[in-house]
Amino acid sequence: MQTDDPSAPPALELSGVTKSFGPVTALRSANLRVETGSIHALVGENGAGKSTLVKIVAGLYRRDGGALALDGAPVDFHSTAESKAAGIAVIYQEPTLFPDLSVTENIFMGRQPTGRFGRIDRRAMRQEAQAIFARLGVRLDPDRPTDGLSIADQQIIEIAKAISLDARVLVMDEPTAALSGIEVDRLFAVARGLRDEGRALVFISHRFDEVFDLCDTVTVMRDGAYVDTLPVAGTTVDELVRMMVGRDVAELFPKLPAEVGDDVLVVEGLTQPGVFHDVSFTVRAGEIVGLAGLVGAGRSEVARAVFGVDPYESGSVRVDGEPLPRGNPRASIARGLALVPEDRRRQGLVLDQTVARNVTLAIRERLARWGLVWDGLENAAARTWASRLEVKTAALDAETGTLSGGNQQKVVLGKWLASDPRVLIVDEPTRGIDVGTKAEVHRLLSRLAQQGVAILMISSELPEVLGMADRVLVMREGRLTGELDRADATPEAVMRAATTEEAVR
Ligand SMILES: Nc1ncnc2c1ncn2[C@@H]1O[C@H](COP(=O)(O)OP(=O)(O)OP(=O)(O)O)[C@@H](O)[C@H]1O
Ligand SMILES: [Mg+2]
């Protein structure tokens, strides 16, 4: 939906914007024209410059060149406060919450409503936070600290923070990357409501079904430059992909037939009160088992307990028939387990270390000679994975924190694939990864299964689960509520197990 007046200036316009970081050119010439009362998608490969553009609009980065205008008037932001004051709200790709502050305090960071005598009105803040959660249909304790929240809950808080700003322009950088179907639907309902009130929204996502479901217009970027802008109704996924990557992409879910062998990972009666209860499942050699469910169902918690980074009170984990000690990730790694965590920035990467160091983190003992890891060996090991996963970085000794979100995700994957695991647990493995590399990651997983690796794949992207898994387990509120064979795993069956009382076993 666009405004009636075709001569009305766009709510937000960038033209010929450039930005470099030292030798790295992030934006060569970025254009974006977002009309009032519309939802505008911005798509492009990992490292195309989307988040850099967002940060320029947010006032976090200064552009080197080009122009920025709001409602036709040129603007220039020197700080995020100036951008906010101009009516722009931004949801960043990576949550930026203060772990020690409460959920409510994070939402109102820096602009607490004050009551009489200038005192901070905590009740008002709390009520508004709860009203936004109700609108988004999420249950989240506004008083708890944000430390320890799942990446999806962190994302929901970022969304609430942006909505509470009541801005005219709302920019969302991969807001749904960690959310599953129902949460996404609720966010979209709110987004459509804002559009219909006449606001302008920018939506970045690597999930094309979402772009087609939500957006009116789409702009494609490649290598820091503008490619084209099209009405969503007048294009197709294939066309967008071709414009993004400049070629056709191979099949997205290249599931290869693998011989399923013996039980490798056997989990029995795993229980951690209040988190998960009586969870039992098996993953066999050569098998990819999908673990589906809504956000907060306890999937990541089970994965972390199995791997040993989180505790569990009762139950057992066995690998190749031998019990795995509890709460001991080092022992797990020694036994061939690998866990690609969902929260790459807090659990997966050392952001201020180099790409090469991060890729080799899990294999340092193997690489060491006389207790030392030589740079040459480290670089050689890292190079293999960086190139297989097409990590876009200026150099292997670049700081990992400077990579784009999707490229950081590739580094975490590389780190664990390099460890040559026997049991691979991946939690949202393709979160934030672009369409071309997604296909490559799926191919890698398929190939690992063929080589006999037992794979447990947690994913909120239902097509990914259904496309890749031999068997699908479904969790709801800390319990396993469904187990479906590949042939029976339809979206409806999975959703039913994820949301209703009756088990479909
Ligand atoms: N602070 C920084 N220092 C150095 N290089 C940077 C910095 N921020 C971004 N870059 C580089 O700029 C390029 C564009 O990154 P950007 O994060 O904008 O990509 P993106 O389109 O958002 O990708 P993704 O889909 O993976 O999130 C990348 O090559 C990245 O490494
Ligand atoms: Mg990005």
Side-chain angles (χ1 to χ4, degrees):
M1 201 198 315
Q2 320 251 302
T3 40
D4 298 326
D5 179 6
S7 63
L12 171 69
E13 185 166 27
L14 286 87
S15 22
V17 169
T18 57
K19 176 74 191 173
S20 295
F21 300 96
V24 180
T25 306
L27 295 178
R28 285 188 290 131
S29 95
N31 302 328
L32 182 68
R33 193 187 155 92
V34 188
E35 306 292 342
T36 300
S38 80
I39 306 180
H40 197 113
L42 183 60
V43 300
E45 283 185 295
N46 295 134
K50 304 178 298 295
S51 296
T52 303
L53 183 153
V54 168
K55 288 172 187 164
I56 286 172
V57 172
L60 199 64
Y61 292 162
R62 285 298 297 281
R63 63 186 191 279
D64 298 335
L68 188 61
L70 283 184
D71 293 319
V75 285
D76 194 10
F77 301 135
H78 299 80
S79 67
T80 53
E82 285 184 19
S83 163
K84 242 182 234 169
I88 296 173
V90 174
I91 298 169
Y92 295 102
Q93 181 171 9
E94 309 290 347
T96 52
L97 302 173
F98 293 89
D100 299 334
L101 297 185
S102 74
V103 167
T104 304
E105 285 164 335
N106 265 290
I107 293 177
F108 294 97
M109 189 66 212
R111 53 185 178 97
Q112 284 93 344
T114 46
R116 275 198 302 166
F117 315 116
R119 295 235 325 246
I120 292 175
D121 191 343
R122 293 190 180 281
R123 260 185 57 144
M125 285 189 345
R126 218 173 162 277
Q127 278 172 355
E128 196 182 329
Q130 261 166 337
I132 297 171
F133 290 152
R135 212 166 144 195
L136 289 168
V138 292
R139 253 181 301 167
L140 208 67
D141 175 5
D143 298 323
R144 66 156 291 166
T146 57
D147 193 23
L149 281 177
S150 73
I151 191 90
D153 284 336
Q154 294 177 43
Q155 225 170 23
I156 284 167
I157 295 170
E158 291 287 348
I159 291 167
K161 196 158 100 182
I163 291 175
S164 75
L165 281 170
D166 203 25
R168 287 183 312 133
V169 178
L170 177 60
V171 183
M172 303 183 279
D173 194 353
E174 299 194 35
T176 60
L179 305 185
S180 61
I182 288 195
E183 293 92 21
V184 172
D185 288 346
R186 293 203 173 109
L187 171 64
F188 283 9
V190 173
R192 290 190 184 102
L194 294 171
R195 168 188 63 190
D196 297 344
E197 287 171 13
R199 304 177 200 227
L201 292 88
V202 178
F203 177 76
I204 297 176
S205 175
H206 289 291
R207 299 179 179 177
F208 288 109
D209 48 343
E210 296 182 351
V211 168
F212 281 86
D213 182 14
L214 180 69
C215 302
D216 307 297
T217 317
V218 53
T219 290
V220 182
M221 287 180 73
R222 187 164 76 220
D223 289 336
Y226 170 83
V227 177
D228 204 355
T229 297
L230 302 160
V232 166
T235 184
T236 61
V237 173
D238 289 345
E239 186 181 27
L240 289 183
V241 170
R242 261 196 310 274
M243 286 196 282
M244 274 171 57
V245 303
R247 61 182 157 84
D248 282 320
V249 166
E251 195 192 353
L252 192 48
F253 305 113
K255 174 94 184 125
L256 305 170
E259 201 168 313
V260 173
D262 296 335
D263 292 355
V264 177
L265 176 68
V266 178
V267 174
E268 260 168 1
L270 213 65
T271 300
Q272 172 71 5
V275 187
F276 47 82
H277 304 273
D278 198 20
V279 173
S280 304
F281 63 89
T282 302
V283 187
R284 291 170 291 185
E287 200 178 28
I288 302 180
V289 174
L291 186 49
L294 301 185
V295 165
R299 297 168 299 166
S300 301
E301 287 76 4
V302 167
R304 291 168 53 81
V306 167
F307 185 67
V309 283
D310 277 358
Y312 58 91
E313 196 181 271
S314 56
S316 69
V317 178
R318 278 176 296 142
V319 175
D320 293 323
E322 296 284 316
L324 192 70
R326 211 181 280 200
N328 188 341
R330 273 180 156 268
S332 300
I333 294 170
R335 295 281 297 280
L337 262 73
L339 170 69
V340 177
E342 61 166 350
D343 192 343
R344 57 182 169 246
R345 290 175 82 93
R346 287 191 191 170
Q347 296 152 7
L349 293 171
V350 190
L351 289 171
D352 58 6
Q353 298 236 351
T354 66
V355 172
R357 178 61 55 90
N358 272 287
V359 172
T360 53
L361 267 182
I363 53 167
R364 298 198 73 72
E365 284 170 20
R366 212 183 299 162
L367 286 181
R369 300 283 177 275
W370 302 290
L372 286 172
V373 181
W374 303 103
D375 285 353
L377 275 177
E378 180 177 279
N379 280 333
R383 188 166 300 116
T384 312
W385 285 103
S387 74
R388 276 180 85 170
L389 292 164
E390 295 176 40
V391 177
K392 190 181 166 199
T393 173
L396 285 174
D397 60 5
E399 253 185 48
T400 308
T402 67
L403 266 55
S404 80
N407 282 297
Q408 291 180 16
Q409 182 66 21
K410 296 180 197 174
V411 173
V412 188
L413 270 171
K415 162 181 161 186
W416 289 109
L417 294 178
S419 78
D420 200 10
R422 189 151 163 59
V423 178
L424 176 63
I425 305 175
V426 287
D427 196 351
E428 307 289 357
T430 62
R431 184 166 71 88
I433 284 188
D434 68 44
V435 57
T437 312
K438 226 180 229 181
E440 184 54 32
V441 169
H442 291 149
R443 200 166 311 120
L444 274 169
L445 291 176
S446 248
R447 231 181 282 139
L448 287 173
Q450 267 192 331
Q451 290 160 15
V453 178
I455 300 177
L456 180 66
M457 182 179 76
I458 300 174
S459 172
S460 291
E461 243 184 291
L462 210 44
E464 178 166 88
V465 174
L466 301 182
M468 294 305 297
D470 297 290
R471 222 156 20 99
V472 179
L473 307 171
V474 188
M475 274 187 84
R476 189 177 63 80
E477 290 174 14
R479 294 175 191 277
L480 275 184
T481 52
E483 174 167 355
L484 301 152
D485 267 330
R486 183 171 174 80
D488 305 328
T490 59
E492 296 73 32
V494 173
M495 281 318 284
R496 207 176 325 125
T499 53
T500 58
E501 292 294 327
E502 78 208 85
V504 286
R505 255 175 206 277

